[in-house]
Amino acid sequence: MNSPIDTGAGLLVNGRTYRRPDRPVVVICLDGSEPGYIERAIEAGLAPNLDRVMKQGTNTTALSVVPTFTNPNNLSIVTGRPPAVHGISGNFFYDRESGAEVMMNDAKFLRVPTIFAEFQKAGMKVAVVTAKDKLRTLLGKGLDFSSGTAIAFSSEKADQATLAENGIENVLDFVGLPLPEVYSADLSEFAFAAGVKLLNSFRPDLMYLSTTDYVQHKAEPGSKAANDFYAMFDSYIGQLDALGCTLVVTADHGMNDKHRSDGQPDVIYLQEAMDAALGAGATRVILPITDPYVAHHGSLGSFATVYVDPDKVQAVIDAAKAIDGITVAITADEACARFELPADRIGDVVILADRHKVLGTIAARHDFSGLTEPLRSHGGLTEQRVPLIANRPAEIPADRVLRNFDAFDVALNLVA
Ligand SMILES: [Zn+2]
């Protein structure tokens, strides 16, 4: 347990120096919050706190990490670095040596410490609340729950939290809400409510709240379900702001309609296309969006990676480029350079679809039975722009291209 280096100006974490906060810092990752959701809710008169905060503080946008998926972006935000550094490039990669598709939910796949772990070692109090439990083990990596200075739990498994594993117990009583359903807006509300309670009583120096995009996958900006969600969010923004903190809100990715006019998902079945072009068995298409919680996206996003022998890379690129709706088909080297990805955890070709299309493997492998609304999803370049909002003015250089993983830099170093 080496303490992080204190440069005098602050703590050095993964190559960036962060000032020690003199008031609590709260960063919220609002899953799937495409620009427009907040604005439509404000226009409808449902988000007065966000309206005030955005006028008095900072209201800008930032670019998320490609693939525009949940885990790569959450891990980027909490480490301050892109996937090339932290190693989490999606939910799945293909291990060439074992010939197995490997899920990257386990904390062992995270290659660098989080900002929380390093701040805790330097004597500060940290708290992490996630909606889904899949993120909690990754985000909580390196925290010491024995000292009373770290808390990390999920809404999904709030009833199972223990002092040894989470730094807190009896979470349902503490938050004052029942255990939420995993597929619900309540899962996110529980995280916000917990955040308010923690800020009030535990008073962390750093806190991170990460929600689920259940609502955003179903409902477009300005719709009733979306406005209801943002009105609920707004009430917690008001409470957090009133408790005295630096508050930064960003998102892991945006969200777009990915369906045809008949309401069916607009899918390019990439494994079928590759089998037709190169022969069955020549390629393996991996969709890194695939996870245990598929109901709301059917494992369909706008990013795919293809594993293939070196002599057939160009044939894969040529075949992909010939398909209407594919906007990017590049080699792994190009993708790693352009999107800052870890070379050992993506395939040989990276493929992205356009705004309203998603990439599948073969039709029979995708289950649409959980899709109760026309598909909305993410993963591509068209979901890269996300909000970046702070409750205080931040001095952001005019020529700086902000990333969502600058959230803690903005909160700790740039906010007044
Ligand atoms: Zn997400």
Side-chain angles (χ1 to χ4, degrees), residues 229 327 403:
F229 178 86
T327 52
R403 306 300 304 270

Side-chain angles (χ1 to χ4, degrees), residues 32 34 37 213 216-217 253-257 376-378 383:
E34 174 78 16
Y37 279 112
D213 53 9
Q216 290 79 4
H217 267 290
H253 53 78
M255 190 74 73
N256 277 297
D257 285 344
R376 292 170 57 75
S377 195
H378 50 94
E383 292 81 35

Side-chain angles (χ1 to χ4, degrees), residues 120 126-128 136 143-153 160-171 174 198 202:
Q120 189 196 15
V126 298
V128 176
R136 194 257 319 159
L143 297 181
D144 170 14
F145 296 112
S146 68
S147 61
T149 58
I151 291 174
F153 63 90
Q160 297 168 39
T162 64
L163 282 172
E165 295 284 320
N166 308 90
I168 188 171
E169 57 189 359
N170 300 324
V171 170
F174 173 72
L198 287 168
F202 181 62

Side-chain angles (χ1 to χ4, degrees), residues 31-32 70 213 252-253:
D31 198 323
T70 300
D213 53 9
D252 53 348
H253 53 78

